[in-house]
Every structure is written in C-alpha cells, then in structure tokens.
Amino acid sequence: MAFMKKFGLAAAAVIGLVALSTPSLRAAEGAEEPQPTRQNWTFAGVFGTFDKAQLKRGFQVYKEVCSSCHALHIPMRTLAQPGGPGFTEDEVKALAATYTVHDGPNMQGEMFDRPGRPADYFPAPFANPEAAAAALGAAPPDMSLLGKSIKYERGFPKFLWDPLPLPGAVYQEVGPDLIYAILNGYTHDDDPNWNLYFPGHKIAMPKPLTDGQVQYKDGAPATVQQYAKDVSAFLFWASEPNMEYRKLIGRRVLVFLLVFAVLLYFTKKRIWADVAH
Amino acid sequence: MHGHSTFEPKNGFVKWLEARLPILSFSHESFVAYPTPKNLNYWWTFGAILSFMLVAQIITGVVLAMHYTPESTMAFDSVEKIMRDVNWGWMLRYAHSNGASMFFFAVYIHMFRGIYYGSYKAPREVLWILGVIIFLLMMATGFMGYVLPWGQMSFWGATVITNLFSAIPFVGDQITVWLWGGYSVGNPTLNRFFSLHYLLPFVIAAVVGLHVWALHVVGQNNPDGVDIKDVKKDSVPFTPHATMKDSLGIAVFLLLYAWFIFFVPNYLGDADNYIPANPMKTPPHIVPEWYFLPFYAILRSIPNKLAGVVAMFAAIALLAFLPWLDTSKVRSGKYRPLFKIFFWIFAATAIGLGYLGAMPPEGGYVLAARLLSVSYFAFFLVILPVLGLVEKTKPVPATIADAVLAKH
C-alpha cells in the first residue's frame, strides 16, 4: 500500500507540474494573442438560424470589399438556396449576369466570354494563386471555407465543455469569432499590417475596412464593427450553407432517439423482470 | 457453448435448406439461444455498438465513395461538392467522419472493459489477440481515411506518419518511397490510400467474424470473471435478453453520435483540414486525430526517431501479450483491490498522454509525456506481472448465480 500511495502521489505531482508549467510557459512566449471574445450569433446553438438581413449585408461587404482580392469558390445559386441570405432566383440571375465568365471551347474550338449564370461559381479575382501573390505579395486564401478553416486555441479546460449540450457551450463558432476579432484587431494606427489577434501579430492583409466604406440599404450602422460582424456571419454561412437544415434534422433525430431509447428501456426492463442479474 | 433451446425446423423450406446449408440453425444458436451470462453490465453492450458502427461506417463510406474523387487536384473539391450539392451529402460525410471518432471511442471503452475484467485471460487469449488485430486495422483504416479529403492536416499527417518508416535501418528510405509511390506524398499516395481505405473495412469485418466465432467458442467473460457452470442458473438466452439490452445501449450511443453529427460536427476535426493540401506550406502544429494522440505522445517523447517509432508500435503490440503479462489467477478486477487502483492510474495515464499528444512538444509537456510514457509501459511490464504474485485478492464467488445472489 505504501508503494501505491507513493505512485499516486507521483502521478498527482506530474499532473500538478504540467498544470503549473503550462501558463508560465505560455506567458514566457510573450507574443501570445489574446483570445477573441465570443460573440452572440443567431446561428449558434441547437436552435440557431441565420439572420437573412445580416447575410445580405455580409454579402454586400464581401462583394464590395473582400472580393477584390479573395476568391469565394461557391456557386452563385447558393445565394437563393433555403437557409441562406434569401435572395430570390431572379435576383441571383441578375447578379450572376453582372459577372463575365470565361467559358469554352465552343463549336469552333475557341474560348469565349459570356455573362454569368446562377450555376457558375463566383469568378476569382486572380487567375491563380501565383498571380495573386505577384500582385499582392501573398495569395489571399479562398474564403469559401474560411468560416471553419481558422481557429484559435480554446485551451484547457474550455475545450472540454465546448461540445457539450450545456447552456453557454455547444461552441462551433470559433471561426466567425476569430474573423470578427481580426477585422477589429488593427489596433496600431502606424502599422496597417499589425493585428492583435492574428497569430504572430503580422498579417499580410492591411486593414481592409473603414467606417462608412459600405453603404447599407437597411439602415444598419456603417461601422467597421458592423461590417465585420456581418461578413463573419456571411462567411460562416458560406462554409456551412446547409447548417439550418442540419440542425432541424438533428433536433428531430434526437427527439426520435430519445423516445426510442425510453421505449427500449422499458421493454428491456420488462424482459429482465424475472431474471435476477 | 450450448444454448437454452435447440433449433427445430418446422417449415418445409427451412428443413430443405437446413439439410443443405444449416445457416438458420447456426444463426439461431449464435444469436438467439446463445447463453449469455446474466450478470453482464452495460459495459458489455459495446461489442454490439462496435458492430453497429462498423456497418454504419461501411454503408456511409460506400455511398461517399460514389461521389468522391481520389485524385490530388480534385479530392478536396469533390468532398466540398459532397458537402454542398450531393443530396444528404453533408449528413453522410459528417456521419462518416464523426463515425470514425465514435468507433474509436467505443473501441477504447471496449478495450478498457476487457482489461478491467481480465477478459484476455485463458481461455480467451485468441479472442483478445484478434481484438488487438482489429484495433490495428482500425488505426490503419482511420489514418488513411483522414488523408482522403486532402486538406492540410491530411497531407501533413500522411507525411509525418509515412516518414516514420524511414526510421527502419538500411531499407527505411526505400520503403518510404515504395509506400508513397514517389519521392513525396502525392497523387499515387492518395490513390492507394483510397484503395486500401476501401479494402480494410472488409478485412476488419472478416476478423470481427473470427472475433465473434472465438467468443462463441469460449463464451463471454462477465463482471465476476467466473465461467458459466450451469446454463440454466448462470445464463439467459441471448435473445431477447442481450438483444434488447444491446439495442438500448446502441440507442443511447446513437444519441451521442447524432449530437456530434448534427450539432458539433467539426469539434473533433482539425480546422486546418478545411484548407486544401499545400506541399509548400507546413502547418505550425501537425496533430493527428484525437484517437492516435496517446501513441503520438509516446512517439514524440523519445528523442531518437527509431526508438520513438519502436516505442509507439510496442505500446500497441504489448496489448497482444496481456494474457501472459498479467500473472494473476483471479480474472476480474472486481476482486483485485490493488489492480483496481493501478487500472485507474493506467486509464489516467492514457488520457494524460492523449492530452499531451495534442500539445506542442516543448517545455513541461515533454517532461510530462516522458513520465507518462514510463507509467504506460510500467503498467504492462512491471505492475501486471508483479501484482499477480503479491496481490491479496478478495474471495471469488463459485458461480455467476452466487455472485448475483450476493448482490441482492
């Protein structure tokens, strides 16, 4: 028993040592970024749905600002899909026609330009990442999956309850929170490439948004904060266009399974009633 | 094991078939009349849960393969196409990717249950070793499946893991090139990983068949670790008793699985895998899927590459030797007070290694991973052999019926 106690103490000591050394190790690195603040998103949680007006505004920010450098590799028809910004098919048709799409070859074997159609993907601003890098210094990432391809470390113990069905948990919005934080993180006025939240603080993208840059039609404030919020929501939708439907089906599946499990429990109880076990 | 009742064909067609292929009487004996120890607890439902998960993975996987393109310039986009445009594609893919995690979660519980109750001890050694083989096959399948979406973590995970083989003396580099089908991870690698990822689940299914066969020869272990002596007093027929209990276990497990699919589908994956593979850009931290993390931590805790690889594979291979490393005459941990404590230390060690495997290999993390690696190996090589010789065990009931009586 003495040996066992020693072993237990040693194990406790190891765990304590790790727990203690972790924050100090982190602090010693110095250049750590603060954690983004968790925002209130309409699409968070079990009953989350997208705010159509917000997605429309976010799309406007993408179209007028982001799209000059970033590709968004999704079909334009997605904009009219249920669970999205709620554009009508005619609106998307009209929007698609404003783009020129390189297509071909035609029957004569020649490539040609034509007006876009809803089935087309949003045309990329550069022919390839190399051209983007040559023009801008670094190739901006495609934004179609940005809503879930970037993250910040939640750290111990937060990561343990992030997935749990508890109030304040069910945290899947790490991506939009970080996008929002980065867009609001240009806090050094003398250095447009310094960002509070970007890993290492040096970001190739100079401050992209300024107050008043985008004119909203629905009376939402024309501020960087509002733009950042709207475009973050839009990008999360772009990365998960089926989210609303997924959660709807998920709720039904959970209710079904819950009822089914309860029925199975009572059936099992009945079957085992006369067996001592 | 002989069942509660025997199969008697009544219907003419069944008699006809029975004389030619006795598959119905075989199924009856295996899944209806098969005597099940009546003292099994819910930890024993994980066998059925795992069978369910294997079938779920095969079905979702076969349908996903109808839409997936195993080519390095098209794989990533084909997965996105599944997520956005294929009917129910998002559900199939989330069910499959989270299904892998659920499969491993269930198999770890199944293995820890086997260790706690001494399920590997005679006469169940072969049954246990077949289980270890299934676990190895699962690891290979899971690893190759993770490469298929061809995201950043797919590519770099494949690079790190295949590079391990270069540690083999003399022929390591040639073997690695042979595995890659080129001089780095590329299209040929992706293509063969897809082929093998499709093949291995069927190999797993075959070994599961052997695993169940072996189980039905020696009978199930149980929480008290005493074999069935009197079929009438100690056991119940598999159907409906175990069937219904397993169904309940599966339904509850499905609640967890569905929660992940529909509400937190990306929690267990790495965000970097939503960035297309880029051989020119290494991610800052290359982290495997969570179910490999304890072994990854052992690999990294040894500074020498070859020794690290050997230690990592040894950590898995040692499992196969458990029947002989554990010297105790008493099977179930329920009657082994000291073993119980070391079992939980071992479980904490495995979880601790899992956490450390996800952390950057620096500072206190390295030291902790080394200490826990020592603790991991000590459980197999020191604790289990010695414990059986020195431990004072509690009296074991003579029969399952006695154990049940004592409880009531």
Side-chain angles (χ1 to χ4, degrees):
Chain A
M1 287 305 270
F3 170 67
M4 181 211 93
K5 259 187 192 156
K6 266 184 198 160
F7 196 94
L9 280 176
V14 169
I15 291 160
L17 201 77
V18 175
L20 282 175
S21 69
T22 310
S24 57
L25 194 79
R26 293 267 141 163
E29 284 172 21
E32 282 295 309
E33 303 77 29
Q35 280 211 351
T37 319
R38 197 171 163 181
Q39 302 296 318
N40 273 319
W41 302 106
T42 59
F43 48 85
V46 175
F47 295 95
T49 52
F50 289 109
D51 172 352
K52 287 188 170 59
Q54 183 174 50
L55 293 189
K56 278 187 172 152
R57 290 195 302 269
F59 172 66
Q60 194 184 347
V61 175
Y62 152 74
K63 193 165 179 290
E64 293 178 18
V65 185
C66 318
S67 69
S68 49
C69 301
H70 287 276
L72 180 71
H73 190 64
I74 62 171
M76 288 185 260
R77 62 179 154 75
T78 320
L79 290 174
Q81 209 170 284
F87 287 103
T88 64
E89 295 204 3
D90 289 333
E91 281 171 326
V92 174
K93 228 177 234 174
L95 171 84
T98 63
Y99 290 95
T100 304
V101 172
H102 198 58
D103 202 351
N106 62 14
M107 298 294 272
Q108 283 72 45
E110 283 151 7
M111 305 300 281
F112 59 92
D113 287 339
R114 61 164 174 80
R117 294 190 287 255
D120 290 320
Y121 282 66
F122 283 104
F126 296 95
N128 48 58
E130 287 74 11
L136 301 167
D142 177 278
M143 295 204 303
S144 61
L145 286 167
L146 206 59
K148 47 185 185 177
S149 71
I150 64 172
K151 60 156 186 222
Y152 63 92
E153 287 307 330
R154 291 283 287 164
F156 181 82
K158 281 188 201 156
F159 82 90
L160 286 177
W161 56 70
D162 279 347
L164 301 180
L166 301 170
V170 206
Y171 188 32
Q172 281 276 285
E173 296 74 34
V174 179
D177 280 346
L178 183 55
I179 297 173
Y180 177 78
I182 288 176
L183 289 173
N184 285 298
Y186 292 90
T187 49
H188 285 196
D189 289 337
D190 52 336
D191 184 355
N193 294 91
W194 195 92
N195 194 291
L196 182 60
Y197 295 100
F198 194 77
H201 298 304
K202 278 291 174 193
I203 183 164
M205 171 176 74
K207 191 175 192 301
L209 295 166
T210 46
D211 289 343
Q213 190 178 0
V214 178
Q215 295 302 316
Y216 284 145
K217 285 166 223 124
D218 65 354
T223 59
V224 170
Q225 282 196 352
Q226 187 65 38
Y227 299 153
K229 190 117 198 221
D230 294 342
V231 83
S232 302
F234 172 74
L235 289 176
F236 190 70
W237 166 79
S239 70
E240 279 279 316
N242 295 312
M243 187 213 74
E244 279 190 13
Y245 192 55
R246 160 160 65 77
K247 288 183 175 174
L248 172 71
I249 298 295
R251 292 192 295 270
R252 290 179 186 166
V253 168
L254 285 190
V255 169
F256 170 81
L257 283 174
L258 213 59
V259 172
F260 188 49
V262 169
L263 292 176
L264 284 172
Y265 171 75
F266 285 110
T267 315
K268 183 253 158 198
K269 214 174 156 180
R270 181 77 175 271
I271 287 171
W272 283 79
D274 53 347
V275 181
H277 59 282
Chain B
M1 301 286 300
H2 289 288
H4 285 256
S5 64
T6 45
F7 181 71
E8 278 170 47
K10 292 186 184 84
N11 166 310
F13 170 74
V14 176
K15 278 182 189 158
W16 180 87
L17 183 66
E18 193 60 19
R20 286 153 183 83
L21 179 73
I23 190 168
L24 290 174
S25 62
F26 174 77
S27 305
H28 182 87
E29 265 168 44
S30 304
F31 304 109
V32 180
Y34 179 69
T36 308
K38 57 181 179 184
N39 57 340
L40 296 189
N41 55 35
Y42 276 99
W43 299 116
W44 261 265
T45 60
F46 278 85
I49 289 168
L50 283 160
S51 311
F52 176 88
M53 285 313 303
L54 177 62
V55 173
Q57 287 301 85
I58 288 179
I59 293 174
T60 52
V62 166
V63 181
L64 284 170
M66 295 175 190
H67 301 280
Y68 168 77
T69 314
E71 202 276 337
S72 61
T73 60
M74 295 190 264
F76 189 88
D77 285 345
S78 76
V79 172
E80 267 315 297
K81 194 106 184 144
I82 290 170
M83 291 297 291
R84 291 169 191 276
D85 294 337
V86 172
N87 291 331
W88 298 95
W90 57 268
M91 193 178 82
L92 284 168
R93 190 197 160 226
Y94 278 154
H96 197 71
S97 59
N98 286 290
S101 285
M102 292 298 128
F103 205 161
F104 274 97
F105 174 64
V107 91
Y108 282 131
I109 290 183
H110 194 62
M111 289 160 73
F112 274 117
R113 189 271 285 155
I115 295 174
Y116 185 84
Y117 292 111
S119 296
Y120 45 77
K121 290 189 189 181
R124 297 187 181 81
E125 303 93 324
V126 171
L127 171 62
W128 173 261
I129 290 169
L130 287 167
V132 176
I133 292 170
I134 294 170
F135 177 52
L136 263 177
L137 287 168
M138 278 176 64
M139 292 180 101
T141 311
F143 161 65
M144 286 190 277
Y146 193 57
V147 175
L148 301 185
W150 211 239
Q152 272 290 69
M153 234 8 112
S154 299
F155 181 88
W156 289 99
T159 303
V160 169
I161 301 301
T162 49
N163 255 314
L164 296 180
F165 292 89
S166 69
I168 301 169
F170 309 114
V171 291
D173 287 335
Q174 282 93 321
I175 286 181
T176 313
V177 169
W178 176 72
L179 286 173
W180 286 336
Y183 294 101
S184 64
V185 173
N187 187 52
T189 326
L190 174 61
N191 226 271
R192 63 192 53 187
F193 276 21
F194 176 62
S195 167
L196 292 172
H197 183 73
Y198 206 119
L199 169 71
L200 287 185
F202 298 98
V203 180
I204 292 178
V207 184
V208 167
L210 295 178
H211 191 66
V212 174
W213 184 11
L215 174 75
H216 284 214
V217 171
V218 295
Q220 281 164 291
N221 184 30
N222 56 73
D224 293 291
V226 286
D227 288 325
I228 295 175
K229 283 175 187 123
D230 180 336
V231 169
K232 284 232 161 55
K233 280 186 189 156
D234 294 340
S235 76
V236 286
F238 191 87
T239 301
H241 295 82
T243 321
M244 198 44 70
K245 202 168 175 177
D246 285 347
S247 304
L248 174 57
I250 291 173
V252 173
F253 191 80
L254 274 175
L255 275 166
L256 175 78
Y257 184 18
W259 173 259
F260 272 91
I261 295 173
F262 294 104
F263 298 104
V264 285
N266 293 307
Y267 172 74
L268 294 167
D270 199 300
D272 271 357
N273 228 25
Y274 281 115
I275 302 171
N278 182 352
M280 312 305 279
K281 201 175 159 210
T282 318
H285 297 299
I286 301 175
V287 184
E289 287 286 78
W290 69 267
Y291 36 83
F292 294 132
L293 289 173
F295 303 103
Y296 193 57
I298 292 175
L299 168 80
R300 291 194 311 184
S301 63
I302 297 177
N304 177 289
K305 187 175 174 184
L306 178 60
V309 173
V310 169
M312 183 180 73
F313 283 107
I316 303 163
L318 269 180
L319 288 166
F321 296 94
L322 264 179
W324 299 279
L325 289 170
D326 184 349
T327 51
S328 178
K329 297 258 180 321
V330 173
R331 196 181 278 148
S332 170
K334 200 170 160 184
Y335 302 104
R336 301 181 60 189
L338 274 183
F339 170 84
K340 240 185 225 176
I341 292 157
F342 284 107
F343 170 85
W344 288 111
I345 293 174
F346 175 66
T349 298
I351 293 169
L353 280 170
Y355 176 66
L356 294 168
M359 295 295 115
E362 53 196 27
Y365 294 127
V366 179
L367 177 68
R370 285 185 182 155
L371 289 171
L372 289 184
S373 297
V374 171
S375 161
Y376 181 96
F377 284 105
F379 178 74
F380 290 95
L381 299 174
V382 182
I383 304 296
L384 282 184
V386 173
L387 217 49
L389 307 176
V390 301
E391 186 180 28
K392 201 172 167 300
T393 56
K394 288 194 210 160
V396 179
T399 65
I400 292 174
D402 288 350
V404 170
L405 270 180
K407 213 168 74 174
H408 285 271

